[in-house]
Amino acid sequence: MEIVINRNCNTPVYLQIKNQIQHKIISGELTDDYVLPSERSLAKQVKVDRSTVVKAYMELKAEGLVESFVGRGTIVLPQISKNMTFDKLTVPKINWSQFVSQDFFMNSQNLIAQIMEAHQHEKVISFAGGIPSSDTYPIEIIKTLQNYCMDKYREKLFMPTSIYGCMELRKAIKKHAESRGINASVKEIMITSGTQQGIYYFAKLFVEAGDMILVEEPTYLGAIEIFKSARGKVVGVPVDEEGMKTDVLENLLLRYRPKFIYTQPSFQNPSGATLSIRRRKELLKLAYFYQVPILEDDSYSEINFSGKRFPSLKALDKKDYVVHLGSFSKSLFLGMRIGWAIANEYIVGRFGSLKQITDLHSNTMAQYLLSEFLIQGYYAKHLTKVVGEYKSKRDLMCNEITKYKINGLELSIPEGGYFLWCKLPENIRLSVLMDHAIKEGVMFMPPDPFYSNGSIGDAYIRLNYTYPSKEEIKEGVKRLMEAIRKAQIRKCPQGEVSYSNRNPIF
Amino acid sequence: MEIVINRNCNTPVYLQIKNQIQHKIISGELTDDYVLPSERSLAKQVKVDRSTVVKAYMELKAEGLVESFVGRGTIVLPQISKNMTFDKLTVPKINWSQFVSQDFFMNSQNLIAQIMEAHQHEKVISFAGGIPSSDTYPIEIIKTLQNYCMDKYREKLFMPTSIYGCMELRKAIKKHAESRGINASVKEIMITSGTQQGIYYFAKLFVEAGDMILVEEPTYLGAIEIFKSARGKVVGVPVDEEGMKTDVLENLLLRYRPKFIYTQPSFQNPSGATLSIRRRKELLKLAYFYQVPILEDDSYSEINFSGKRFPSLKALDKKDYVVHLGSFSKSLFLGMRIGWAIANEYIVGRFGSLKQITDLHSNTMAQYLLSEFLIQGYYAKHLTKVVGEYKSKRDLMCNEITKYKINGLELSIPEGGYFLWCKLPENIRLSVLMDHAIKEGVMFMPPDPFYSNGSIGDAYIRLNYTYPSKEEIKEGVKRLMEAIRKAQIRKCPQGEVSYSNRNPIF
């Protein structure tokens, strides 16, 4: 067995010996059961210390290439990889779960999958979702615009866009943002695949394992999942009729020194609460004082029934503390997966870096289509129409629920957004209600996913009024009230629904 | 100052004291410059040990709420947050970089951005990109299909799809995959936003900091970035005319015990090499023997000029070791951002979990559009057309380069894919060539980004022949050869281009 030592090479001598023997075994030069020279004789042959050969043989043993047997010496073991015939393999199937990273976070996919599933069943009326009414989709306008874009932009529609999104849409969003009081340059605007991706990028950029993150309680379940998947610790700030309670916030800022605050200041999901202007300023002041950035998820702000406009936090912020996320998913439709982030150039640059790694850019056609939808003035008209439609659906759902006069059922009337956040009577167990609701053929969202710790004392349910038709709202409320009655402990007397024009305590 | 201690409460007594004083300060009950009782007297008042009060005061000091002054005692500090007027703030702008996670990986965005930028300049001829020819886009067919889909699917085109993608497309891809020898159920197929997202999800699911990952060397730069962003360690396996060298692979498997192997077995980017059938089986055998999963990026397999079909690794794999990623980005166009993963149900479930966190689902319209494009048989026809087109462009580029007879320039002729991988003459410094090329008005890809360690001894460049027109190929090659001549050390004699029908050593 020839071994050549190169004393000018950086590789340690023992490793040179090991590597050469290894190569001889794998290449088949040394056959199975070949007896290696003794450590002493090899050491003599290549003129090294015996301990060097011992070390080389130890490495070979550790890798399962050779084995020492008393009386027989060091023997080359049969290499399965060399002898296996591909077509006659007896190896078992892979067990993928043993390869999964310790950091991998499994979310509440089952719940969401269940709810998405329920939307497919025609017999079930779902108040559980959070999508726009399909009656409102401007199908004919989009069809016309698609043909228009195809003629105007031609091959551009099929090309990649910049990682920041196509310039036409960024300019259109710049103008759109101005209507919300936000003055940003196009360099401060980036297209994302929905606000979901914006929240994900923000978490990816800032959250380290163990970081504290403050959110409204309750809040968007997707945000909680994202922050937890980044191994952040999520702490809830209670919400009342003026939105996030800023006095409690200051206490929590002091106690936890969080990495950032995530908020949906307008018609937040699920509570429907809106941060008052006074509190918006208070929130910013606290952010400045404690040097805590804010992630503003503005998804629902345009579904505004009151006519009263609240400036976005980004519009009020003069110190660059706010990263603003916007979307057409709630005002137009969800299927496009187009949202945007408005932030200073530093953040936009980092988000671009993440875009390049995760999916390169968002769908090109959808970007041009939406830019034309905005530029040609269709968006403004569409918004007026859907807001009117959703307001009347909200009213209908509230009125229908009131009719049933269930004692202890507390309703809030949100001034915008997608949801009623209902407090259930105290004598109801949620799991029992769920069972009855499924039997009756109606779906709602349970409260747990909206809380960072996954459970609360008071039982609320979230009801969506935008997706179901008016007939479905009537029939669905009937079924739900029947389910609530059946789930109630029998002896409870029935009476008035507690009802208020402002949000009660959330 | 009243402090109430609850001895039945889980909160330590010192923290009860601290929290109560903190609340009094923030609420304004204790005004600025209020003098707290001495530690001794408060200890006496609430009947605790003095050290308990000392600890409480220390916490208050640490949070900047109070300060001790010799002779004055412990004083409540002015709380800026309480006294600040929002409109008269003097706080500085935020410094975002100080909040960024230590784990955040900044990629070679500048290079890619530069190249994308170059595509916009009309005067520069770019061989640097990796996108299909815009002449081939089936604009009229897509226009017809869009209208067809709009009439057929209506509101479905605007709704969210499942996190796994729309069933119509998954079924169409199931059938498409069968033509590559892959038999998968629809439950084993998931839609992603391009193969990019598939690679990202795979890394997200499996890579932990420090994990070793084996890739071909050179390989797709985006994959290297993704693995490094997940803090994996990337090790290259050399490639020759038969693709990844499986004998070296075995050595590296032994040495590094990697988490997985990433490979582009067909017409890989950038080298154009294709793994022979013998090596495909060898690769799988080694994967089984060393229990190392394989991520198969099959992006280029359909751009096949030879007519010889290679079964995908997924088709050969009977032990579930391969996760297969496919895409229409190279055969159709990039702007759709639709790709797919084929893997067992366990992996698809985990990918779904990641989809839900990162962007919910891919663009709905693009999914339906592509499913109709496949179902109605347009794809097969389109593929025949583009493969013919790209083959003649490859021939043209090779012939043009050969004409200039630059000594030491080595060309490989790939049997498919998008790129020529050219070895430069030895007397050229790459940075000098880059400068000359920019002056001449031609762009190419330098080799460094395709190597995991970012630098190699031999200087190669990657030239794309699919995107430029035939006139641009002629003119661009002229400019590039001029740049090479100028970058060469003067005294070098000119002669024959070394030229082979097979790939030389990469």
Side-chain angles (χ1 to χ4, degrees):
Chain A
M1 191 179 72
E2 199 191 323
I3 300 286
V4 182
I5 303 301
N6 177 356
R7 302 206 182 257
N8 300 320
C9 163
N10 282 330
T11 312
V13 171
Y14 85 91
L15 217 51
Q16 292 188 40
I17 297 171
K18 182 235 152 189
N19 286 346
Q20 288 179 50
I21 296 177
Q22 178 181 315
H23 182 78
K24 285 175 203 289
I25 294 172
I26 289 163
S27 69
E29 190 186 324
L30 301 183
T31 51
D32 301 347
D33 297 326
Y34 178 93
V35 184
L36 295 185
S38 73
E39 288 144 352
R40 192 181 308 268
S41 70
L42 184 60
K44 205 174 162 189
Q45 177 192 329
V46 295
K47 296 189 180 91
V48 297
D49 198 73
R50 183 172 167 268
S51 66
T52 307
V53 180
V54 169
K55 209 168 167 190
Y57 280 21
M58 269 171 66
E59 291 270 326
L60 290 166
K61 283 175 205 166
E63 292 185 1
L65 291 163
V66 303
E67 193 52 275
S68 294
F69 298 96
V70 178
R72 290 177 63 198
T74 304
I75 313 266
V76 172
L77 291 176
Q79 291 302 299
I80 300 174
S81 96
K82 213 168 55 193
N83 298 323
M84 278 198 309
T85 315
F86 180 75
D87 300 312
K88 287 183 182 173
L89 291 167
T90 51
V91 288
K93 284 206 171 187
I94 198 169
N95 177 5
W96 278 100
S97 64
Q98 72 191 25
F99 296 94
V100 170
S101 160
Q102 298 281 331
D103 300 345
F104 179 72
F105 169 83
M106 195 66 190
N107 52 17
S108 61
Q109 192 187 321
N110 291 340
L111 181 68
I112 307 292
Q114 247 182 23
I115 289 161
M116 279 182 149
E117 202 70 34
H119 276 273
Q120 321 271 321
H121 285 287
E122 276 179 25
K123 284 180 184 169
V124 172
I125 294 173
S126 178
F127 298 152
I131 66 173
S133 159
S134 57
D135 299 342
T136 65
Y137 299 157
I139 298 182
E140 292 309 320
I141 294 170
I142 296 286
K143 192 173 166 183
T144 308
L145 275 184
Q146 270 186 336
N147 289 321
Y148 173 87
C149 284
M150 209 57 96
D151 295 336
K152 180 175 176 185
Y153 295 108
R154 310 290 299 169
E155 69 276 4
K156 267 195 167 181
L157 296 181
F158 304 93
M159 302 273 280
T161 73
S162 140
I163 49 178
Y164 306 108
C166 90
M167 200 41 93
E168 284 80 355
L169 182 56
R170 289 163 80 193
K171 282 182 184 162
I173 284 169
K174 174 183 155 58
K175 221 178 142 191
H176 175 73
E178 280 164 9
S179 74
R180 298 270 301 138
I182 302 171
N183 290 307
S185 76
V186 286
K187 285 188 173 179
E188 294 170 320
I189 296 170
M190 158 153 179
I191 307 304
T192 60
S193 296
T195 50
Q196 185 78 17
Q197 192 173 54
I199 304 171
Y200 180 75
Y201 285 175
F202 195 89
K204 188 93 185 137
L205 185 53
F206 294 111
V207 180
E208 285 166 285
D211 276 350
M212 305 298 307
I213 298 149
L214 297 186
V215 304
E216 284 138 359
E217 185 158 277
T219 192
Y220 171 48
L221 62 97
I224 295 175
E225 282 185 347
I226 288 171
F227 301 146
K228 287 194 172 174
S229 80
R231 298 192 293 155
K233 288 183 184 167
V234 182
V235 173
V237 187
V239 167
D240 68 10
E241 69 267 27
E242 271 191 75
M244 186 191 277
K245 295 184 74 163
T246 40
D247 53 343
V248 180
L249 174 67
E250 182 152 19
N251 268 309
L252 295 174
L253 285 167
L254 271 164
R255 192 179 309 160
Y256 293 114
R257 300 282 166 182
K259 195 70 172 272
F260 61 86
I261 302 163
Y262 165 80
T263 173
Q264 294 188 297
S266 297
F267 319 122
Q268 72 116 222
N269 172 11
S271 78
T274 289
L275 202 65
S276 64
I277 292 192
R278 189 180 66 81
R279 288 232 186 123
R280 280 172 200 247
K281 291 186 174 176
E282 188 66 20
L283 170 58
L284 283 169
K285 215 175 73 174
L286 291 171
Y288 298 160
F289 181 60
Y290 293 102
Q291 295 190 49
V292 178
I294 295 172
L295 178 60
E296 174 179 40
D297 176 351
D298 207 33
S299 301
Y300 292 93
S301 69
E302 300 204 307
I303 312 301
N304 182 338
F305 308 142
S306 72
K308 203 160 57 182
R309 300 284 280 182
F310 291 93
S312 83
L313 292 173
K314 185 72 186 163
L316 292 171
D317 170 33
K318 304 300 172 211
K319 305 295 173 188
D320 243 357
Y321 271 67
V322 176
V323 169
H324 174 95
L325 301 177
S327 168
F328 297 120
S329 294
K330 303 301 170 181
S331 54
L332 208 43
F333 35 76
L334 229 108
M336 286 259 177
R337 308 314 302 133
I338 301 290
W340 61 90
I342 304 181
N344 75 5
E345 284 187 46
Y346 177 85
I347 301 287
V348 168
R350 268 45 186 187
F351 274 27
S353 203
L354 287 166
K355 190 81 184 164
Q356 191 180 305
I357 286 175
T358 55
D359 62 2
L360 299 176
H361 66 90
S362 298
N363 183 282
T364 307
M365 254 190 235
Q367 292 190 55
Y368 280 100
L369 199 56
L370 280 176
S371 70
E372 289 296 334
F373 198 82
L374 283 165
I375 293 163
Q376 298 191 21
Y378 290 112
Y379 183 72
K381 280 177 225 159
H382 179 79
L383 191 61
T384 311
K385 195 183 119 192
V386 295
V387 167
E389 170 89 6
Y390 295 160
K391 185 170 190 283
S392 77
K393 281 185 173 182
R394 176 204 64 178
D395 292 341
L396 177 65
M397 190 180 263
C398 290
N399 290 338
E400 288 297 311
I401 292 173
T402 315
K403 272 189 196 166
Y404 290 87
K405 304 190 177 189
I406 292 189
N407 206 9
L409 186 71
E410 282 182 31
L411 260 197
S412 62
I413 305 189
E415 301 213 62
Y418 265 42
F419 307 108
L420 292 185
W421 185 238
C422 300
K423 191 175 177 185
L424 293 174
E426 275 175 22
N427 52 357
I428 283 189
R429 218 176 298 154
L430 200 69
S431 58
V432 178
L433 176 60
M434 274 288 226
D435 291 344
H436 282 292
I438 287 164
K439 273 180 217 152
E440 296 290 329
V442 63
M443 285 277 285
F444 58 83
M445 274 297 280
D448 282 15
F450 302 104
Y451 290 80
S452 54
N453 56 7
S455 75
I456 49 159
D458 291 314
Y460 288 87
I461 58 174
R462 191 193 77 175
L463 303 179
N464 167 259
Y465 47 76
T466 62
Y467 182 72
S469 69
K470 290 188 176 169
E471 288 63 41
E472 286 170 333
I473 290 177
K474 283 185 194 170
E475 177 60 25
V477 168
K478 188 179 149 196
R479 293 179 189 179
L480 180 62
M481 295 305 124
E482 190 57 32
I484 290 177
R485 280 208 179 113
K486 285 183 178 166
Q488 273 181 313
I489 295 156
R490 285 288 157 85
K491 46 191 167 177
C492 169
Q494 305 209 342
E496 289 291 307
V497 182
S498 160
Y499 198 91
S500 76
N501 222 331
R502 306 191 107 192
N503 290 325
I505 303 140
F506 291 102
Chain B
M1 191 178 72
E2 199 192 323
I3 300 286
V4 182
I5 302 300
N6 176 357
R7 300 202 184 260
N8 300 321
C9 163
N10 282 329
T11 312
V13 171
Y14 85 92
L15 216 53
Q16 292 188 39
I17 297 171
K18 182 235 151 187
N19 286 345
Q20 289 180 52
I21 296 176
Q22 176 181 315
H23 182 79
K24 285 174 202 290
I25 294 170
I26 289 162
S27 68
E29 189 186 322
L30 301 183
T31 52
D32 301 347
D33 297 325
Y34 178 92
V35 184
L36 294 186
S38 73
E39 287 146 352
R40 191 182 307 271
S41 71
L42 185 59
K44 205 172 158 189
Q45 178 192 325
V46 297
K47 300 192 178 87
V48 297
D49 197 72
R50 183 170 168 268
S51 66
T52 306
V53 179
V54 170
K55 209 168 167 191
Y57 279 20
M58 270 172 63
E59 291 270 325
L60 291 167
K61 284 174 206 167
E63 291 185 0
L65 291 164
V66 303
E67 193 51 277
S68 293
F69 298 95
V70 178
R72 291 176 63 199
T74 304
I75 312 267
V76 172
L77 291 175
Q79 291 303 296
I80 301 176
S81 97
K82 213 167 56 193
N83 299 321
M84 280 196 312
T85 315
F86 180 76
D87 300 314
K88 289 183 182 172
L89 291 170
T90 53
V91 288
K93 283 205 173 187
I94 198 169
N95 175 5
W96 278 101
S97 64
Q98 72 192 26
F99 295 94
V100 170
S101 159
Q102 298 280 333
D103 299 343
F104 179 71
F105 169 83
M106 194 66 188
N107 51 16
S108 61
Q109 191 187 324
N110 291 340
L111 179 70
I112 307 292
Q114 248 181 22
I115 289 160
M116 278 183 150
E117 202 69 34
H119 277 273
Q120 322 270 318
H121 285 287
E122 277 179 26
K123 283 178 187 171
V124 173
I125 293 172
S126 178
F127 298 151
I131 67 173
S133 161
S134 57
D135 299 342
T136 65
Y137 299 158
I139 299 182
E140 293 309 319
I141 293 170
I142 295 286
K143 194 172 164 183
T144 308
L145 274 185
Q146 269 186 336
N147 289 322
Y148 173 86
C149 284
M150 208 58 98
D151 295 336
K152 180 175 176 184
Y153 296 108
R154 309 287 302 167
E155 69 276 2
K156 266 194 165 182
L157 298 180
F158 304 93
M159 301 272 280
T161 72
S162 141
I163 49 178
Y164 306 108
C166 89
M167 200 41 92
E168 284 80 356
L169 183 56
R170 289 163 79 194
K171 282 182 185 163
I173 284 170
K174 173 184 156 56
K175 221 179 143 189
H176 175 73
E178 281 164 9
S179 74
R180 297 271 300 136
I182 301 171
N183 290 306
S185 75
V186 287
K187 284 189 172 176
E188 294 171 320
I189 296 170
M190 159 157 179
I191 307 305
T192 60
S193 296
T195 49
Q196 185 78 18
Q197 191 172 56
I199 303 171
Y200 180 74
Y201 285 174
F202 195 90
K204 188 94 184 135
L205 184 53
F206 294 111
V207 181
E208 286 166 285
D211 276 350
M212 304 300 304
I213 297 149
L214 297 186
V215 304
E216 281 136 3
E217 186 161 272
T219 191
Y220 171 49
L221 64 95
I224 295 175
E225 283 185 345
I226 288 172
F227 302 146
K228 287 194 172 171
S229 80
R231 298 192 293 156
K233 288 183 185 165
V234 182
V235 173
V237 187
V239 167
D240 67 11
E241 68 269 26
E242 271 190 76
M244 185 189 279
K245 293 182 75 164
T246 39
D247 54 342
V248 180
L249 174 67
E250 180 151 22
N251 268 307
L252 296 172
L253 285 168
L254 272 165
R255 192 180 309 159
Y256 294 114
R257 300 283 163 179
K259 195 71 172 270
F260 60 87
I261 302 162
Y262 166 79
T263 175
Q264 295 188 296
S266 297
F267 317 122
Q268 72 117 220
N269 173 9
S271 79
T274 290
L275 202 63
S276 63
I277 292 192
R278 190 182 63 83
R279 287 229 186 127
R280 282 173 199 244
K281 289 186 177 177
E282 188 66 21
L283 170 58
L284 283 170
K285 215 176 75 175
L286 291 170
Y288 298 160
F289 181 60
Y290 293 103
Q291 295 190 48
V292 177
I294 296 171
L295 178 59
E296 174 180 42
D297 176 351
D298 206 35
S299 300
Y300 293 93
S301 69
E302 300 204 308
I303 312 301
N304 183 339
F305 309 143
S306 71
K308 203 162 55 183
R309 301 285 279 180
F310 292 92
S312 83
L313 293 174
K314 185 71 185 165
L316 291 172
D317 169 33
K318 304 300 172 210
K319 306 294 174 186
D320 242 359
Y321 271 67
V322 177
V323 169
H324 174 95
L325 302 177
S327 167
F328 296 119
S329 294
K330 302 301 170 180
S331 54
L332 208 43
F333 34 77
L334 228 109
M336 287 258 175
R337 310 311 304 131
I338 300 289
W340 61 90
I342 304 181
N344 76 4
E345 283 187 47
Y346 177 85
I347 302 288
V348 168
R350 267 53 189 178
F351 274 27
S353 201
L354 288 166
K355 190 80 184 164
Q356 190 180 306
I357 286 175
T358 55
D359 62 1
L360 298 177
H361 65 90
S362 298
N363 183 282
T364 306
M365 255 190 235
Q367 291 190 55
Y368 280 100
L369 199 55
L370 281 177
S371 70
E372 289 295 334
F373 198 82
L374 283 165
I375 293 164
Q376 297 191 20
Y378 289 112
Y379 182 72
K381 281 178 224 160
H382 179 78
L383 191 62
T384 309
K385 196 182 118 191
V386 295
V387 168
E389 171 90 4
Y390 295 160
K391 185 170 190 282
S392 76
K393 282 185 171 182
R394 177 204 64 177
D395 291 341
L396 177 66
M397 188 178 263
C398 290
N399 290 336
E400 288 297 312
I401 292 173
T402 315
K403 274 189 196 166
Y404 290 87
K405 300 188 181 194
I406 292 187
N407 204 7
L409 186 71
E410 283 181 30
L411 259 196
S412 64
I413 305 187
E415 300 212 61
Y418 265 41
F419 308 108
L420 292 186
W421 185 237
C422 300
K423 191 174 177 186
L424 293 174
E426 272 175 21
N427 53 356
I428 284 188
R429 218 175 299 152
L430 200 70
S431 58
V432 178
L433 177 60
M434 274 287 228
D435 291 344
H436 283 291
I438 288 164
K439 274 180 216 151
E440 297 289 330
V442 63
M443 285 276 285
F444 57 82
M445 272 300 279
D448 282 15
F450 302 105
Y451 290 81
S452 54
N453 58 4
S455 78
I456 48 159
D458 293 313
Y460 288 87
I461 58 173
R462 192 192 74 176
L463 303 178
N464 167 259
Y465 47 76
T466 62
Y467 182 72
S469 69
K470 290 186 175 171
E471 289 64 40
E472 287 169 332
I473 288 177
K474 284 183 193 171
E475 177 60 25
V477 167
K478 190 180 148 196
R479 294 179 187 178
L480 180 61
M481 296 305 123
E482 190 57 31
I484 289 176
R485 280 207 179 110
K486 286 182 177 166
Q488 274 181 313
I489 297 153
R490 285 290 155 84
K491 48 187 166 179
C492 171
Q494 301 210 344
E496 289 291 307
V497 181
S498 161
Y499 198 90
S500 75
N501 220 329
R502 305 192 107 190
N503 290 325
I505 304 141
F506 291 102

